Amino acid sequence: MSSGDDGADRGGRETPPKHGLAGPEPDERPHPEGRRNSQGIRIDPEVEATHEPRRAVFSALVEDEPGVLSRIAGLISRRQFNIESLTVGPTTVDGHSRITMVVEETEPDIDQIRKQLGKLKPVITVGELDEDAVRTELVLLKVEGTEPDKVHAITEMYDGQTLDAGAETITVQLTGDEQEIDDAIDAFRQFGIIEIARTGYAALARGNQPTAPGEKPGTADEPTRPTNTQ
């Protein structure tokens, strides 16, 4: 056997191949199962399939900085998560705002949203609200005014308020949880809905529980300190 041949040496010992180490053929080698998500993390299909999407309501305290809302929305959209609704408004502390955001994703994705939001510098603190949190939303409906008495009756049925009434249109305001709002909208369809504006959820935790983790009450005369130390 020439010195360049692969196989056994003169003592009968196996010699390594000339190029690389001995091993199984490529089609005989084990291949990891699964795929990667948009962040490059390998996903086990069986594990992923066990997680059904659910709705989550996040409450975040943020510093009032230019572009903070677009940064939060951009972070969510870049990771291909879907925002069902997003509201923002002032809190008891000057310079701070509360953002209430509703998403519907799998459990791992909901956890990722919370972690990624917490890493944004303008975010002081963020957390998911419990199922029993106080939640409500507001809707404005503009309908045709050809049957004002019936519109008024439906408005009263849903504890609404007439904001504008004319010969051609009537605009009413309704508040309630999602199901109540959906039912009211269905009831007003018979009159012809011209325009609709719906806010999405505003929500607070029940009792003495802080709505966002570590949030100080407005009576404490002390602002909430950032939980993000990065």
Side-chain angles (χ1 to χ4, degrees):
M1 180 186 297
S2 65
S3 59
D5 292 335
D6 295 335
D9 62 12
R10 294 179 179 178
R13 295 170 297 182
E14 291 292 331
T15 59
K18 184 177 181 180
H19 301 290
L21 299 176
E25 295 297 324
D27 58 353
E28 298 176 349
R29 298 172 187 169
H31 296 282
E33 297 182 356
R35 58 181 179 82
R36 295 183 182 274
N37 62 13
S38 58
Q39 289 82 46
I41 301 172
R42 190 174 295 282
I43 299 172
D44 185 337
E46 294 184 1
V47 174
E48 185 184 46
T50 61
H51 296 287
E52 294 294 333
R54 70 173 179 86
R55 178 171 294 182
V57 181
F58 288 99
S59 182
L61 294 183
V62 301
E63 297 174 355
D64 290 337
E65 294 184 4
V68 61
L69 197 59
S70 62
R71 290 179 63 183
I72 289 176
L75 182 148
I76 301 300
S77 62
R78 283 197 304 274
R79 286 159 176 78
Q80 299 181 341
F81 299 137
N82 182 53
I83 299 176
E84 288 198 358
S85 68
L86 189 151
T87 61
V88 59
T91 69
T92 56
V93 179
D94 290 340
H96 290 178
S97 292
R98 183 186 306 281
I99 290 178
T100 305
M101 182 173 65
V102 180
V103 300
E104 186 169 352
E105 298 290 346
T106 63
E107 197 66 43
D109 287 342
I110 289 171
D111 186 55
Q112 278 297 311
I113 291 172
R114 179 184 58 79
K115 291 178 179 178
Q116 293 299 323
L117 287 176
K119 293 179 180 179
L120 288 180
K121 185 178 180 299
V123 176
I124 301 168
T125 180
V126 60
E128 182 184 351
L129 291 173
D130 293 337
E131 286 292 331
D132 67 345
V134 179
R135 313 177 190 188
T136 191
E137 61 177 310
L138 179 147
V139 64
L140 300 180
L141 286 171
K142 182 187 292 185
V143 300
E144 294 181 357
T146 55
E147 299 180 274
D149 292 340
K150 292 183 179 180
V151 171
H152 180 69
I154 296 296
T155 302
E156 284 193 333
M157 180 186 304
Y158 288 96
D159 296 324
Q161 180 181 358
T162 300
L163 301 182
D164 180 67
E168 297 182 351
T169 65
I170 299 173
T171 301
V172 301
Q173 172 185 291
L174 304 165
T175 59
D177 62 28
E178 182 180 29
Q179 188 59 57
E180 291 171 339
I181 296 296
D182 288 343
D183 291 345
I185 291 174
D186 287 341
F188 278 98
R189 292 190 191 281
Q190 61 182 303
F191 308 117
I193 297 176
I194 299 172
E195 293 177 346
I196 183 171
R198 193 166 177 172
T199 63
Y201 273 136
L204 293 175
R206 289 189 179 275
N208 291 328
Q209 179 182 354
T211 297
E215 182 177 355
K216 300 293 184 181
T219 55
D221 296 326
E222 179 183 357
T224 303
R225 302 300 178 187
T227 58
N228 175 20
T229 58
Q230 298 184 10

